mmCIF file of all heavy atoms in Angstrom:
data_model
loop_
_atom_site.group_PDB
_atom_site.id
_atom_site.type_symbol
_atom_site.label_atom_id
_atom_site.label_comp_id
_atom_site.label_asym_id
_atom_site.label_seq_id
_atom_site.Cartn_x
_atom_site.Cartn_y
_atom_site.Cartn_z
ATOM 1 N N VAL A 1 11.166 -5.473 1.375
ATOM 2 C CA VAL A 1 12.518 -5.231 1.879
ATOM 3 C C VAL A 1 12.644 -5.813 3.286
ATOM 4 O O VAL A 1 11.647 -6.154 3.921
ATOM 5 C CB VAL A 1 12.848 -3.716 1.903
ATOM 6 C CG1 VAL A 1 12.768 -3.121 0.508
ATOM 7 C CG2 VAL A 1 11.908 -2.974 2.860
ATOM 8 N N ASP A 2 13.880 -5.900 3.779
ATOM 9 C CA ASP A 2 14.082 -6.378 5.148
ATOM 10 C C ASP A 2 14.160 -5.197 6.106
ATOM 11 O O ASP A 2 13.895 -4.052 5.730
ATOM 12 C CB ASP A 2 15.309 -7.301 5.242
ATOM 13 C CG ASP A 2 16.631 -6.558 4.994
ATOM 14 O OD1 ASP A 2 16.647 -5.304 5.000
ATOM 15 O OD2 ASP A 2 17.657 -7.238 4.802
ATOM 16 N N ALA A 3 14.528 -5.455 7.345
ATOM 17 C CA ALA A 3 14.507 -4.416 8.366
ATOM 18 C C ALA A 3 15.562 -3.338 8.146
ATOM 19 O O ALA A 3 15.473 -2.251 8.719
ATOM 20 C CB ALA A 3 14.698 -5.029 9.758
ATOM 21 N N PHE A 4 16.568 -3.619 7.319
ATOM 22 C CA PHE A 4 17.593 -2.632 6.997
ATOM 23 C C PHE A 4 17.304 -1.966 5.648
ATOM 24 O O PHE A 4 18.166 -1.340 5.061
ATOM 25 C CB PHE A 4 18.975 -3.275 6.980
ATOM 26 C CG PHE A 4 19.429 -3.768 8.331
ATOM 27 C CD1 PHE A 4 19.389 -5.120 8.643
ATOM 28 C CD2 PHE A 4 19.901 -2.879 9.292
ATOM 29 C CE1 PHE A 4 19.800 -5.580 9.888
ATOM 30 C CE2 PHE A 4 20.315 -3.327 10.537
ATOM 31 C CZ PHE A 4 20.264 -4.688 10.837
ATOM 32 N N MET A 5 16.076 -2.134 5.154
ATOM 33 C CA MET A 5 15.626 -1.565 3.891
ATOM 34 C C MET A 5 16.393 -2.112 2.687
ATOM 35 O O MET A 5 16.495 -1.454 1.651
ATOM 36 C CB MET A 5 15.714 -0.019 3.907
ATOM 37 C CG MET A 5 14.793 0.630 4.913
ATOM 38 S SD MET A 5 13.031 0.439 4.528
ATOM 39 C CE MET A 5 12.500 -0.545 5.947
ATOM 40 N N LYS A 6 16.919 -3.329 2.799
ATOM 41 C CA LYS A 6 17.566 -4.012 1.686
ATOM 42 C C LYS A 6 16.538 -4.897 0.999
ATOM 43 O O LYS A 6 15.743 -5.579 1.656
ATOM 44 C CB LYS A 6 18.743 -4.865 2.163
ATOM 45 C CG LYS A 6 19.811 -4.102 2.933
ATOM 46 C CD LYS A 6 20.566 -3.131 2.048
ATOM 47 C CE LYS A 6 21.722 -2.484 2.809
ATOM 48 N NZ LYS A 6 22.482 -1.529 1.971
ATOM 49 N N GLU A 7 16.542 -4.921 -0.320
ATOM 50 C CA GLU A 7 15.545 -5.681 -1.054
ATOM 51 C C GLU A 7 15.663 -7.182 -0.780
ATOM 52 O O GLU A 7 16.760 -7.726 -0.669
ATOM 53 C CB GLU A 7 15.648 -5.417 -2.558
ATOM 54 C CG GLU A 7 15.231 -4.008 -2.942
ATOM 55 C CD GLU A 7 14.933 -3.868 -4.427
ATOM 56 O OE1 GLU A 7 14.462 -4.855 -5.047
ATOM 57 O OE2 GLU A 7 15.168 -2.777 -4.963
ATOM 58 N N VAL A 8 14.510 -7.826 -0.665
ATOM 59 C CA VAL A 8 14.438 -9.265 -0.439
ATOM 60 C C VAL A 8 14.365 -9.955 -1.800
ATOM 61 O O VAL A 8 13.548 -9.581 -2.648
ATOM 62 C CB VAL A 8 13.195 -9.629 0.396
ATOM 63 C CG1 VAL A 8 13.022 -11.140 0.496
ATOM 64 C CG2 VAL A 8 13.295 -9.000 1.782
ATOM 65 N N ARG A 9 15.200 -10.953 -2.005
ATOM 66 C CA ARG A 9 15.159 -11.684 -3.274
ATOM 67 C C ARG A 9 14.286 -12.925 -3.112
ATOM 68 O O ARG A 9 14.569 -13.791 -2.281
ATOM 69 C CB ARG A 9 16.561 -12.073 -3.735
ATOM 70 C CG ARG A 9 16.539 -12.656 -5.142
ATOM 71 C CD ARG A 9 17.894 -13.067 -5.646
ATOM 72 N NE ARG A 9 17.792 -13.603 -6.993
ATOM 73 C CZ ARG A 9 18.607 -14.511 -7.506
ATOM 74 N NH1 ARG A 9 19.605 -14.979 -6.789
ATOM 75 N NH2 ARG A 9 18.443 -14.955 -8.735
ATOM 76 N N LEU A 10 13.218 -13.002 -3.903
ATOM 77 C CA LEU A 10 12.308 -14.143 -3.906
ATOM 78 C C LEU A 10 12.516 -14.964 -5.174
ATOM 79 O O LEU A 10 12.839 -14.424 -6.231
ATOM 80 C CB LEU A 10 10.849 -13.667 -3.850
ATOM 81 C CG LEU A 10 10.405 -12.861 -2.623
ATOM 82 C CD1 LEU A 10 8.971 -12.384 -2.817
ATOM 83 C CD2 LEU A 10 10.521 -13.692 -1.356
ATOM 84 N N LEU A 11 12.296 -16.267 -5.065
ATOM 85 C CA LEU A 11 12.421 -17.150 -6.231
ATOM 86 C C LEU A 11 11.059 -17.612 -6.742
ATOM 87 O O LEU A 11 10.982 -18.502 -7.602
ATOM 88 C CB LEU A 11 13.287 -18.362 -5.883
ATOM 89 C CG LEU A 11 14.753 -18.046 -5.540
ATOM 90 C CD1 LEU A 11 15.528 -19.334 -5.292
ATOM 91 C CD2 LEU A 11 15.419 -17.242 -6.655
ATOM 92 N N SER A 12 9.982 -17.039 -6.225
ATOM 93 C CA SER A 12 8.633 -17.312 -6.705
ATOM 94 C C SER A 12 7.803 -16.045 -6.533
ATOM 95 O O SER A 12 8.170 -15.164 -5.749
ATOM 96 C CB SER A 12 8.012 -18.498 -5.955
ATOM 97 O OG SER A 12 7.983 -18.261 -4.567
ATOM 98 N N PRO A 13 6.680 -15.930 -7.237
ATOM 99 C CA PRO A 13 5.918 -14.667 -7.242
ATOM 100 C C PRO A 13 5.340 -14.289 -5.881
ATOM 101 O O PRO A 13 5.080 -15.128 -5.018
ATOM 102 C CB PRO A 13 4.793 -14.936 -8.248
ATOM 103 C CG PRO A 13 5.309 -16.028 -9.112
ATOM 104 C CD PRO A 13 6.140 -16.894 -8.214
ATOM 105 N N MET A 14 5.135 -13.005 -5.716
ATOM 106 C CA MET A 14 4.493 -12.422 -4.552
ATOM 107 C C MET A 14 3.113 -11.904 -4.983
ATOM 108 O O MET A 14 2.976 -11.250 -6.017
ATOM 109 C CB MET A 14 5.345 -11.268 -4.010
ATOM 110 C CG MET A 14 4.723 -10.459 -2.891
ATOM 111 S SD MET A 14 5.858 -9.164 -2.275
ATOM 112 C CE MET A 14 5.980 -8.067 -3.718
ATOM 113 N N TYR A 15 2.079 -12.202 -4.181
ATOM 114 C CA TYR A 15 0.710 -11.788 -4.484
ATOM 115 C C TYR A 15 0.237 -10.791 -3.427
ATOM 116 O O TYR A 15 0.455 -10.997 -2.232
ATOM 117 C CB TYR A 15 -0.236 -12.988 -4.520
ATOM 118 C CG TYR A 15 0.036 -13.963 -5.638
ATOM 119 C CD1 TYR A 15 1.056 -14.904 -5.521
ATOM 120 C CD2 TYR A 15 -0.714 -13.936 -6.810
ATOM 121 C CE1 TYR A 15 1.316 -15.799 -6.547
ATOM 122 C CE2 TYR A 15 -0.455 -14.828 -7.846
ATOM 123 C CZ TYR A 15 0.558 -15.760 -7.706
ATOM 124 O OH TYR A 15 0.828 -16.644 -8.729
ATOM 125 N N LEU A 16 -0.437 -9.737 -3.875
ATOM 126 C CA LEU A 16 -0.985 -8.728 -2.974
ATOM 127 C C LEU A 16 -2.479 -8.598 -3.195
ATOM 128 O O LEU A 16 -2.952 -8.574 -4.338
ATOM 129 C CB LEU A 16 -0.327 -7.363 -3.209
ATOM 130 C CG LEU A 16 1.187 -7.244 -3.046
ATOM 131 C CD1 LEU A 16 1.619 -5.814 -3.348
ATOM 132 C CD2 LEU A 16 1.635 -7.666 -1.659
ATOM 133 N N SER A 17 -3.217 -8.505 -2.097
ATOM 134 C CA SER A 17 -4.630 -8.133 -2.147
ATOM 135 C C SER A 17 -4.737 -6.676 -1.700
ATOM 136 O O SER A 17 -4.189 -6.307 -0.650
ATOM 137 C CB SER A 17 -5.471 -9.016 -1.228
ATOM 138 O OG SER A 17 -5.431 -10.362 -1.668
ATOM 139 N N ILE A 18 -5.405 -5.864 -2.497
ATOM 140 C CA ILE A 18 -5.461 -4.421 -2.247
ATOM 141 C C ILE A 18 -6.912 -3.968 -2.218
ATOM 142 O O ILE A 18 -7.707 -4.309 -3.104
ATOM 143 C CB ILE A 18 -4.689 -3.633 -3.326
ATOM 144 C CG1 ILE A 18 -3.218 -4.050 -3.333
ATOM 145 C CG2 ILE A 18 -4.820 -2.137 -3.106
ATOM 146 C CD1 ILE A 18 -2.412 -3.416 -4.442
ATOM 147 N N HIS A 19 -7.259 -3.214 -1.185
ATOM 148 C CA HIS A 19 -8.597 -2.622 -1.080
ATOM 149 C C HIS A 19 -8.477 -1.117 -1.309
ATOM 150 O O HIS A 19 -7.693 -0.439 -0.651
ATOM 151 C CB HIS A 19 -9.195 -2.891 0.303
ATOM 152 C CG HIS A 19 -10.545 -2.285 0.499
ATOM 153 N ND1 HIS A 19 -11.698 -2.818 -0.037
ATOM 154 C CD2 HIS A 19 -10.929 -1.161 1.177
ATOM 155 C CE1 HIS A 19 -12.732 -2.071 0.287
ATOM 156 N NE2 HIS A 19 -12.300 -1.061 1.033
ATOM 157 N N VAL A 20 -9.254 -0.614 -2.231
ATOM 158 C CA VAL A 20 -9.268 0.825 -2.534
ATOM 159 C C VAL A 20 -10.694 1.326 -2.366
ATOM 160 O O VAL A 20 -11.641 0.742 -2.900
ATOM 161 C CB VAL A 20 -8.796 1.107 -3.976
ATOM 162 C CG1 VAL A 20 -8.894 2.602 -4.284
ATOM 163 C CG2 VAL A 20 -7.370 0.613 -4.177
ATOM 164 N N ARG A 21 -10.837 2.384 -1.590
ATOM 165 C CA ARG A 21 -12.166 2.989 -1.428
ATOM 166 C C ARG A 21 -12.111 4.462 -1.811
ATOM 167 O O ARG A 21 -11.110 5.150 -1.574
ATOM 168 C CB ARG A 21 -12.670 2.814 0.001
ATOM 169 C CG ARG A 21 -11.877 3.537 1.071
ATOM 170 C CD ARG A 21 -12.492 3.346 2.455
ATOM 171 N NE ARG A 21 -11.696 4.022 3.473
ATOM 172 C CZ ARG A 21 -11.853 5.286 3.817
ATOM 173 N NH1 ARG A 21 -12.780 6.026 3.221
ATOM 174 N NH2 ARG A 21 -11.088 5.829 4.756
ATOM 175 N N ALA A 22 -13.189 4.893 -2.401
ATOM 176 C CA ALA A 22 -13.292 6.307 -2.776
ATOM 177 C C ALA A 22 -13.551 7.151 -1.535
ATOM 178 O O ALA A 22 -14.273 6.742 -0.627
ATOM 179 C CB ALA A 22 -14.422 6.487 -3.780
ATOM 180 N N ILE A 23 -12.925 8.305 -1.476
ATOM 181 C CA ILE A 23 -13.169 9.250 -0.377
ATOM 182 C C ILE A 23 -13.971 10.414 -0.931
ATOM 183 O O ILE A 23 -13.480 11.169 -1.788
ATOM 184 C CB ILE A 23 -11.840 9.763 0.223
ATOM 185 C CG1 ILE A 23 -11.024 8.604 0.783
ATOM 186 C CG2 ILE A 23 -12.113 10.798 1.318
ATOM 187 C CD1 ILE A 23 -9.683 9.025 1.358
ATOM 188 N N PRO A 24 -15.202 10.560 -0.475
ATOM 189 C CA PRO A 24 -16.023 11.683 -0.978
ATOM 190 C C PRO A 24 -15.319 13.012 -0.774
ATOM 191 O O PRO A 24 -14.646 13.228 0.245
ATOM 192 C CB PRO A 24 -17.309 11.584 -0.134
ATOM 193 C CG PRO A 24 -17.369 10.140 0.289
ATOM 194 C CD PRO A 24 -15.936 9.725 0.485
ATOM 195 N N ASP A 25 -15.452 13.891 -1.722
ATOM 196 C CA ASP A 25 -14.771 15.185 -1.661
ATOM 197 C C ASP A 25 -15.153 15.967 -0.414
ATOM 198 O O ASP A 25 -14.326 16.689 0.164
ATOM 199 C CB ASP A 25 -15.099 16.005 -2.908
ATOM 200 C CG ASP A 25 -14.509 15.384 -4.171
ATOM 201 O OD1 ASP A 25 -13.539 14.598 -4.038
ATOM 202 O OD2 ASP A 25 -15.006 15.666 -5.266
ATOM 203 N N GLU A 26 -16.405 15.799 0.068
ATOM 204 C CA GLU A 26 -16.830 16.565 1.240
ATOM 205 C C GLU A 26 -16.067 16.125 2.491
ATOM 206 O O GLU A 26 -15.845 16.926 3.399
ATOM 207 C CB GLU A 26 -18.335 16.437 1.467
ATOM 208 C CG GLU A 26 -18.859 15.017 1.535
ATOM 209 C CD GLU A 26 -19.343 14.524 0.179
ATOM 210 O OE1 GLU A 26 -18.853 15.052 -0.847
ATOM 211 O OE2 GLU A 26 -20.203 13.629 0.157
ATOM 212 N N GLU A 27 -15.638 14.842 2.548
ATOM 213 C CA GLU A 27 -14.843 14.386 3.699
ATOM 214 C C GLU A 27 -13.497 15.093 3.747
ATOM 215 O O GLU A 27 -13.025 15.496 4.808
ATOM 216 C CB GLU A 27 -14.635 12.871 3.631
ATOM 217 C CG GLU A 27 -15.845 12.046 3.979
ATOM 218 C CD GLU A 27 -15.512 10.575 4.086
ATOM 219 O OE1 GLU A 27 -14.308 10.259 4.289
ATOM 220 O OE2 GLU A 27 -16.424 9.742 3.971
ATOM 221 N N ILE A 28 -12.879 15.245 2.596
ATOM 222 C CA ILE A 28 -11.594 15.941 2.519
ATOM 223 C C ILE A 28 -11.759 17.403 2.895
ATOM 224 O O ILE A 28 -10.959 17.990 3.632
ATOM 225 C CB ILE A 28 -10.989 15.819 1.106
ATOM 226 C CG1 ILE A 28 -10.689 14.347 0.781
ATOM 227 C CG2 ILE A 28 -9.736 16.662 0.981
ATOM 228 C CD1 ILE A 28 -9.632 13.727 1.663
ATOM 229 N N GLN A 29 -12.851 18.023 2.424
ATOM 230 C CA GLN A 29 -13.096 19.430 2.737
ATOM 231 C C GLN A 29 -13.344 19.623 4.227
ATOM 232 O O GLN A 29 -12.826 20.552 4.841
ATOM 233 C CB GLN A 29 -14.293 19.926 1.930
ATOM 234 C CG GLN A 29 -14.059 19.984 0.427
ATOM 235 C CD GLN A 29 -15.313 20.246 -0.362
ATOM 236 O OE1 GLN A 29 -16.393 20.368 0.200
ATOM 237 N NE2 GLN A 29 -15.168 20.326 -1.682
ATOM 238 N N GLN A 30 -14.114 18.704 4.848
ATOM 239 C CA GLN A 30 -14.368 18.801 6.290
ATOM 240 C C GLN A 30 -13.083 18.609 7.074
ATOM 241 O O GLN A 30 -12.822 19.313 8.045
ATOM 242 C CB GLN A 30 -15.417 17.747 6.699
ATOM 243 C CG GLN A 30 -16.814 18.035 6.199
ATOM 244 C CD GLN A 30 -17.764 16.891 6.496
ATOM 245 O OE1 GLN A 30 -17.385 15.909 7.139
ATOM 246 N NE2 GLN A 30 -19.005 17.024 6.046
ATOM 247 N N SER A 31 -12.269 17.641 6.641
ATOM 248 C CA SER A 31 -11.009 17.393 7.321
ATOM 249 C C SER A 31 -10.102 18.613 7.259
ATOM 250 O O SER A 31 -9.451 18.996 8.228
ATOM 251 C CB SER A 31 -10.303 16.184 6.700
ATOM 252 O OG SER A 31 -9.045 15.969 7.284
ATOM 253 N N SER A 32 -10.068 19.271 6.088
ATOM 254 C CA SER A 32 -9.247 20.469 5.916
ATOM 255 C C SER A 32 -9.755 21.601 6.801
ATOM 256 O O SER A 32 -8.978 22.365 7.380
ATOM 257 C CB SER A 32 -9.237 20.907 4.456
ATOM 258 O OG SER A 32 -8.708 19.888 3.624
#
């Protein structure tokens, strides 16, 4: 989207690289 939260129209594909890491349950418990 743009700065006014209006969708941007593209005429070719958009590619995303995404990194996902597991969070050990003990980290969440310690944080809580």
Side-chain angles (χ1 to χ4, degrees):
V1 300
D2 67 13
F4 294 103
M5 296 293 116
K6 303 292 186 180
E7 291 197 32
V8 173
R9 188 180 180 209
L10 298 175
L11 296 183
S12 58
M14 173 177 66
Y15 294 80
L16 301 179
S17 296
I18 300 175
H19 178 77
V20 177
R21 65 178 179 87
I23 299 178
D25 293 338
E26 53 267 25
E27 286 188 21
I28 297 296
Q29 293 170 359
Q30 290 173 4
S31 176
S32 300

